[in-house]
């Protein structure tokens, strides 16, 4: 196995991590921004106010996108295992 192959696998793995975590991160960012605006408008300065909406939003996002995330991870692992013989024989 050459260094180029290892770099390609690592690059693909990092891209998969970014792609699969993006929906949860975007939902968390959006909910945090909305709650922050709400806190600013109403002058409520409670730090724990953002936790419950973020947890619910991320949970719902995982429910909606979980199958897609699992499909991407399984596809990556199957492709990696399919090329295992090629990697070992190099």
């Amino acid at each position: 196995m050459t260094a180029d192959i290892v770099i390609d696998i690592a690059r693909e793995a990092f891209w998969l991590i970014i792609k699969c975590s993006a929906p949860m991160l975007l939902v968390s960012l959006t909910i945090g921004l909305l709650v922050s605006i709400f806190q600013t408008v109403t002058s409520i300065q409670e730090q724990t106010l953002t936790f419950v909406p973020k947890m619910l939003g991320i949970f719902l996002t995982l429910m909606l996108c979980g199958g897609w995330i699992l499909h991407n991870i399984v596809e990556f692992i199957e492709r990696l295992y399919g090329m295992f013989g090629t990697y070992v024989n190099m």
Side-chain angles (χ1 to χ4, degrees):
M1 182 181 293
T2 64
D4 293 334
I5 293 174
V6 174
I7 291 171
D8 287 339
I9 293 170
R11 183 180 319 126
E12 192 173 345
F14 284 132
W15 176 245
L16 180 69
I17 291 168
I18 291 169
K19 186 169 67 169
C20 289
S21 65
M24 280 78 64
L25 291 173
L26 290 174
V27 166
S28 178
L29 177 74
T30 304
I31 291 173
L33 181 65
L34 291 174
V35 170
S36 177
I37 291 171
F38 174 76
Q39 284 180 325
T40 302
V41 169
T42 60
S43 298
I44 298 173
Q45 297 302 320
E46 180 63 35
Q47 295 298 323
T48 59
L49 186 62
T50 61
F51 290 132
V52 173
K54 279 185 184 180
M55 284 176 47
L56 290 175
I58 291 173
F59 179 73
L60 289 174
T61 305
L62 275 173
M63 295 283 290
L64 293 173
C65 298
W68 174 75
I69 292 169
L70 184 62
H71 173 74
N72 283 330
I73 293 171
V74 167
E75 184 180 289
F76 174 72
I77 295 298
E78 285 177 348
R79 196 168 48 248
L80 213 64
Y81 285 170
M83 297 294 292
F84 187 73
T86 307
Y87 298 148
V88 172
N89 291 331
M90 292 184 145

